[in-house]
């Protein structure tokens, strides 16, 4: 009989905490715990929300009659720690220190590993992990060089979903992920396009700080001189410019909405301006895929399109028309971060891979 491992997955967001329990690959419980602005207002720093969120998780598990002592492992969404290679990392004191002090900035996802560690400590023998945080860094050295000595390119992307989709595709064609060259385009609130060479993402567009295609909420690459002029115009604060780049950029700025499904429908129903903007977003994704094809010297086994926007046949078809001459295009819509985290933990519990040590 197959051994059953019970895994608690914790995925904190800015205004919610998603939790799920898996028995091996099967999800047996899930809930999204939502947090109002009023509830979060007393906490000056994200790390200060730890106790509040932990108690909500414990209460939700008790309400669902899930025995905490039945857990084999707890895995949390990785946060903005220092750059690390892809992998599953057991939460140790060094990792906890960096999750608290946030060397690359505060984000709710930093709480994932901290909550996992504290809850796992309640269960004898249970371990706490994170997996493939957004700061996964496998860039080849030449990809780090920017055009001025005061600047460098940084790897921040949808590592968890890109890696999970790449591995799933490899299994579907009877191959090992490490044996393939893939281009993965994650299309969501942010967009990242990565060149996966034999299991490592050797180049990728920074999905947060202003690179690559614009997305529903992010501006992507902007003309540098125009950005400088805007910053020194005296009309905007630093915070406002940051929000233009991430949060209030992209489709939000260009159309007033981040709802891609509605915008596509509006465009196809005759709104030519909106249609051209949606096409421009897809065009820029196709262009970035071409860049990554060059990174891989044209040796590409497949191009994978994933994320929530991949449900749009119109956008995927537009991108396909641009890039299918490079390699077969496979659409794998959606992103199941909870399943991906559980699968990572399960592989460690089964001894199929070894956890990495965070140093």
């Amino acid at each position: 009989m197959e051994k059953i491992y019970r895994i608690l997955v914790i995925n904190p967001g800015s205004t919610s905490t998603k939790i799920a329990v898996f028995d091996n690959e099967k999800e047996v419980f899930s809930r999204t715990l939502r947090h109002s602005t009023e509830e979060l207002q007393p906490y000056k720093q994200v790390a200060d929300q730890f106790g509040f969120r932990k108690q909500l998780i414990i209460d939700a598990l008790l309400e669902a009659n899930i025995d905490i002592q039945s857990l084999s492992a707890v895995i949390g969404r990785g946060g903005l720690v220092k750059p690390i290679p892809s992998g599953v990392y057991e939460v140790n004191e060094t990792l906890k220190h960096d999750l608290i002090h946030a060397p690359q900035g505060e984000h709710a996802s930093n709480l994932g590993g901290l909550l996992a560690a504290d809850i796992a400590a309640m269960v004898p023998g249970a371990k706490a992990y994170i997996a493939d945080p957004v700061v996964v860094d496998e860039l080849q050295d030449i990809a780090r060089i920017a055009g001025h000595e005061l600047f460098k390119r940084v790897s921040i992307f949808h590592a968890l979903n890109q890696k999970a989709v790449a591995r799933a595709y490899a299994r579907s064609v009877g191959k090992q992920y490490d044996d393939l060259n893939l281009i993965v385009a994650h299309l969501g609130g942010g967009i990242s396009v990565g060149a996966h060479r034999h299991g490592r993402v050797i180049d990728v567009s920074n999905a947060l700080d202003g690179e690559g295609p614009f997305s529903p909420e992010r501006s992507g690459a902007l003309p540098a001189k125009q950005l400088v002029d805007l910053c020194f115009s005296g009309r905007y604060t630093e915070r406002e410019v940051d929000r233009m780049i991430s949060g209030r950029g992209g489709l939000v700025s260009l159309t007033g909405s981040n709802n891609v499904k509605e915008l596509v429908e509006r465009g196809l129903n005759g709104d030519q301006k909106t249609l051209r903007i949606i096409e421009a977003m897809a065009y820029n994704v196709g262009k970035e895929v071409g860049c990554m094809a060059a990174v891989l010297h044209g040796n590409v086994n497949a191009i994978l399109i994933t994320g929530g926007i991949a449900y749009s046949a119109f956008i995927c078809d537009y991108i396909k028309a641009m890039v299918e001459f490079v390699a077969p295009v496979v659409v794998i819509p959606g992103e199941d971060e909870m399943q991906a985290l559980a699968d990572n933990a399960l592989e460690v519990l089964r001894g199929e891979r070894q956890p990495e040590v965070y140093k």
Side-chain angles (χ1 to χ4, degrees):
M1 181 180 293
E2 182 184 25
K3 183 173 182 178
I4 302 297
Y5 294 100
R6 175 158 285 189
I7 302 162
L8 170 63
V9 179
I10 303 173
N11 188 353
S14 57
T15 59
S16 68
T17 304
K18 296 179 182 178
I19 60 174
V21 175
F22 290 79
D23 285 348
N24 291 354
E25 295 91 348
K26 182 181 179 182
E27 182 182 275
V28 296
F29 167 76
S30 68
R31 183 163 300 173
T32 298
L33 309 171
R34 303 198 180 279
H35 317 310
S36 68
T37 303
E38 292 74 23
E39 287 175 316
L40 297 178
Q41 191 171 13
Y43 307 106
K44 292 183 178 180
Q45 307 292 333
V46 169
D48 298 337
Q49 301 171 16
F50 172 83
F52 164 73
R53 297 205 191 209
K54 178 188 172 184
Q55 191 58 53
L56 289 176
I57 293 170
I58 298 298
D59 291 346
L61 294 174
L62 291 175
E63 183 182 335
N65 294 315
I66 292 174
D67 182 5
I68 293 174
Q69 297 301 312
S70 68
L71 298 175
S72 307
V74 187
I75 186 165
R77 188 78 168 94
L80 295 176
V81 293
K82 62 188 177 186
I84 53 177
S86 172
V88 182
Y89 288 79
E90 186 172 343
V91 181
N92 57 21
E93 292 304 315
T94 305
L95 179 52
K96 284 195 281 188
H97 175 275
D98 283 359
L99 288 169
I100 292 169
H101 295 284
Q104 298 207 67
E106 275 199 321
H107 192 273
S109 60
N110 289 31
L111 291 167
L114 297 171
L115 291 164
D118 213 63
I119 294 174
M122 301 167 62
V123 184
K127 297 291 183 66
Y129 303 102
I130 66 167
D132 289 340
V134 295
V135 293
V136 162
D137 184 352
E138 299 170 333
L139 296 184
Q140 56 185 344
D141 288 342
I142 199 167
R144 302 181 188 280
I145 300 172
H148 191 282
E149 64 176 351
L150 297 181
F151 295 80
K152 65 177 181 179
R153 294 190 65 240
V154 177
S155 177
I156 297 179
F157 71 109
H158 304 89
L160 181 65
N161 191 50
Q162 283 211 22
K163 289 279 184 174
V165 164
R167 291 191 184 99
Y169 170 77
R171 288 194 296 270
S172 73
V173 295
K175 302 285 187 180
Q176 294 293 318
Y177 169 51
D178 293 353
D179 294 332
L180 297 176
N181 284 349
L182 303 169
I183 297 171
V184 184
H186 175 105
L187 314 184
I191 289 175
S192 61
V193 182
H196 296 236
R197 184 178 69 191
H198 301 312
R200 296 178 65 83
V201 182
I202 62 170
D203 203 342
V204 65
S205 55
N206 185 321
L208 182 63
D209 292 340
E211 275 192 353
F214 67 84
S215 74
E217 298 174 354
R218 297 169 191 170
S219 295
L222 294 171
K225 182 61 168 62
Q226 292 178 39
L227 181 60
V228 170
D229 291 344
L230 181 144
C231 289
F232 285 89
S233 68
R235 296 168 55 196
Y236 305 99
T237 65
E238 179 182 355
R239 174 62 177 164
E240 287 171 335
V241 175
D242 279 343
R243 292 287 287 163
M244 289 178 193
I245 293 170
S246 180
R248 299 293 302 171
L251 296 183
V252 171
S253 172
L254 294 166
T255 71
S257 173
N258 63 358
N259 190 318
V260 175
K261 182 179 179 181
E262 289 184 1
L263 291 172
V264 170
E265 290 176 356
R266 187 196 306 175
L268 294 177
N269 286 330
D271 185 336
Q272 291 300 309
K273 180 181 177 181
T274 296
L275 183 64
R276 180 54 57 91
I277 290 169
I278 290 294
E279 288 177 335
M281 184 176 72
Y283 168 85
N284 278 275
V285 173
K287 186 167 69 172
E288 193 71 12
V289 169
C291 291
M292 295 305 160
V295 168
L296 295 171
H297 294 209
N299 181 15
V300 182
N301 295 105
I303 299 164
L304 312 181
I305 303 177
T306 184
I309 296 176
Y311 284 109
S312 169
F314 176 81
I315 291 174
C316 290
D317 287 346
Y318 193 103
I319 297 168
K320 280 183 186 179
M322 289 182 68
V323 304
E324 59 187 351
F325 75 93
V326 174
V329 178
V330 180
V331 178
I332 307 173
E335 57 175 316
D336 194 339
E337 293 179 335
M338 308 302 276
Q339 185 73 57
L341 286 167
D343 289 346
N344 275 281
L346 183 59
E347 288 179 2
V348 170
L349 292 170
R350 286 173 168 169
E352 296 170 0
R353 64 195 293 192
Q354 292 298 311
E356 307 293 334
V357 178
Y358 186 89
K359 299 178 182 178

